[in-house]
Amino acid sequence: MDCFFGLKQKKLIQTNNISINYGSLILKFPEIKLNSGDQLLILGNSGSGKTSLLNILGGLISPNTGTVLLNDINLMSLSKNKVDNFRGKNIGFIFQTPHFIKSLTVNENLKLSQYLISEINQSRINILLEKVGLLNLKDSNIQNLSEGEKQRISIIRALINQPSILLADEPTSALDDESCNNVIDILTNLSNEYSATLIIVTHDKRLKEKFSNQIDLNDF
Amino acid sequence: MIFKLAWKNISSRPLSTGLSIVLLSSSIMVIVLATLTINQMKLKFNDNANKIDLVIGAKGSRLQLILCNVFHIDYPTGNIFLEDVEFLTKHPFVKNAVPISLGDAYQQHRIIGTNKNFISEIYNATLEKGELFNESSEVVIGSNVAKKLNLGNSFIGSHGVGESLHEHEDFKYLVVGVLKPTGDIIDELIITPLESIWNVHHDDYKKGSFDLKTAEEHDLHQLEDDKEEHSIHKKEITALLVNYNSPRAKFSIPGIINKKNSLMSADPAIEIKQLIDLIQPAVNILYFLALFIFGLSFFSIIITLVNSMKDRKYEIVMMRVGGASVKTIFISVILEGFYIGFLGSIIGLVLGHSLMEIMASFINFKYHYKFSGLVFDQFEIVLILITILIGMIAAIFPAIVAYKFDIAKVLKNKI
């Protein structure tokens, strides 16, 4: 962690000239430079390539041009297995529709996420569940939860292995106003608390006034 | 954790997993049942067959001669004159030559007219209580007969075996001894001196008595027999049981016997081997059937798991996003195959043994041969291992499907 956060002059996330081609359509993306703990909202209509951008940042797909440096490591230079491992350790994902292992309980899903990367730490799971107010649902089947509850659990899942980066793709679009506020509060508070850099891509206008640092892909 | 995941993944789909397991376990059940039956049959038959080297009786079917006089299942082939075979008792190659005469039964237990050597030399049986018979009408009973009769009891034998067609009401047997359990067929028998049989059938002793089907027929035979006055004073027996004391006997004695017109000899070991060879094709068909169901269940596992992977596409992709390597995904699917194979083989074994136990009680009731579903064989461990391996092999293709999911494409479809 020291090498991650000790060198202030280095950017945690730095993109350079990235673009991706879908047939004849070429999507170019603005440069992103973020320090540890920064929060960024990326707005864009559907088709603006915001999900593609997030997938490139998370190493799920490779851009046609440009580089992504995460803490000075070029994702494109890593092998597939190493990208998977790097992502598991350093990046937490939150999607519009959260998916879990349906046959497992809330607690078992979170334990599985820990197991895949590090060691199972039940007290950490309990602390996080307590923070989002869902400790009472710990042993419920994941399918019995509401969408808002599932989204809160997916935030915990993204944070469970203490990643340095949180990437959220339309985390609030499927939620009503109350759940939306609740989820965004939890997301911003927890990423602050755990010093994770947060990037949200969305077309949800409700989030506009909540973040000072914004990029609008429609303007680009 | 990954074991738990695999377990939960199959147990949360009871219907489709259940189908694979039912198919797998039925094939295992058939294999177990067929193997247990043939193995125990060989064991029981060989055990009893090994006690006697040669059976000499009236001409007819060799197998029938053995089944009747060694296993006490079938009807006699007819009678022979004791004097025709008596020379064997003094033959230098012969250790024992024990005459037996069949004819009556008491509640499905056959009454065997013979001498004491039948008990002490052939079956090595010893007394539990009482003493060996000394005169006509006294009997020694096997340990299982002792469940129905006791020392000092007297009873009336019925003609033939099984249903009481014709009771010899004027002749009562007295139990003077009870034998210790041996595990052999003697446990089911009632043993009495030859004279008892001759006395009870005082004027019809000379014919093979088991071949009577009805009482009327019995009387008819009696009439015919009365005409055959010439043979009335010759003592008859059903068979002579011979044990050799020299390996050379095997090559000389059957030849001597088979030259005589009225006699036939049969080697229990050879006849039983032929009987088993006769049954083997039926057993092979069972194995073939089992193999066919096994093949079906193999494909059923593949289809079940591939469908399961498609249903769980998002779950698998989420695991990948969460840092699960393709190796982890692959192993977790293989583990599902492992569990299906394990469950299928265990359930199949339990079913096979249970069915065997049910069948055994039926066989025991009908033929007095004790089979058991509680006997386990080493092959069953191999069977479990093979089934688990097949389950895991069937999971390879679904596992490849699972790890080949393209994360970005799956996410793009529905997020």
Side-chain angles (χ1 to χ4, degrees), chain A residues 5 12 35-39 90 92 158-159 162-167 187-199:
Chain A
F5 301 118
L12 182 64
N35 287 317
S36 171
D38 284 353
Q39 297 187 343
N90 300 298
L159 281 164
Q162 296 172 289
S164 46
I165 301 163
L166 268 185
L167 301 176
L187 200 48
T188 49
N189 291 340
L190 286 181
S191 52
N192 267 332
E193 193 174 333
Y194 292 98
S195 330
T197 303
L198 174 67
I199 300 176

Side-chain angles (χ1 to χ4, degrees), chain B residues 50-70:
Chain B
N50 288 339
K51 298 220 152 36
I52 298 158
D53 292 326
L54 194 72
V55 179
I56 297 162
K59 282 225 186 306
S61 149
R62 284 198 161 79
L63 182 59
Q64 191 185 348
L65 185 68
I66 299 298
L67 288 177
C68 171
N69 295 298
V70 178

Side-chain angles (χ1 to χ4, degrees), chain B residues 34 39 58 67 99 143 201 346 378:
Chain B
N39 281 354
L67 288 177
S143 59
H201 297 253
I346 296 296
Q378 275 185 329

Side-chain angles (χ1 to χ4, degrees), chain B residues 40-52 70-72 109 118-126 141-145 147 179-191 364 367-370:
Chain B
Q40 292 191 22
M41 215 164 93
K42 279 179 185 167
L43 198 72
K44 290 276 170 192
F45 275 179
N46 287 334
D47 259 9
N48 279 296
N50 288 339
K51 298 220 152 36
I52 298 158
V70 178
F71 301 101
H72 302 281
H109 295 284
F118 182 81
I119 299 170
S120 56
E121 297 297 324
I122 294 189
Y123 288 101
N124 280 323
T126 49
I141 58 176
S143 59
N144 286 330
V145 187
K147 288 169 187 164
L179 297 173
K180 285 181 183 159
T182 61
D184 289 320
I185 189 66
I186 194 170
D187 292 350
E188 308 290 339
L189 302 177
I190 298 168
I191 305 114
N364 187 23
Y367 299 105
H368 298 302
Y369 272 92
K370 286 206 171 43

Side-chain angles (χ1 to χ4, degrees), chain B residues 35 41 43 66 81 87 92 99 106 111-112 120 124 127 161 175 211 225 235 264 271 308 322 334 338 380 388 396:
Chain B
T35 312
M41 215 164 93
L43 198 72
I66 299 298
F81 296 116
F87 72 96
Y106 174 76
I111 300 170
I112 314 290
S120 56
N124 280 323
L127 282 165
V161 71
V175 181
D211 57 2
D225 293 340
K235 290 176 174 172
M264 178 180 74
E271 294 307 317
S308 174
I334 297 292
F338 168 87
E380 294 176 55
I388 290 175
I396 289 177

Side-chain angles (χ1 to χ4, degrees), chain B residues 146-164:
Chain B
K147 288 169 187 164
K148 295 170 186 166
L149 287 170
N150 215 332
L151 212 59
N153 286 166
S154 59
F155 63 93
I156 296 164
S158 55
H159 199 70
V161 71
E163 307 88 59
S164 321

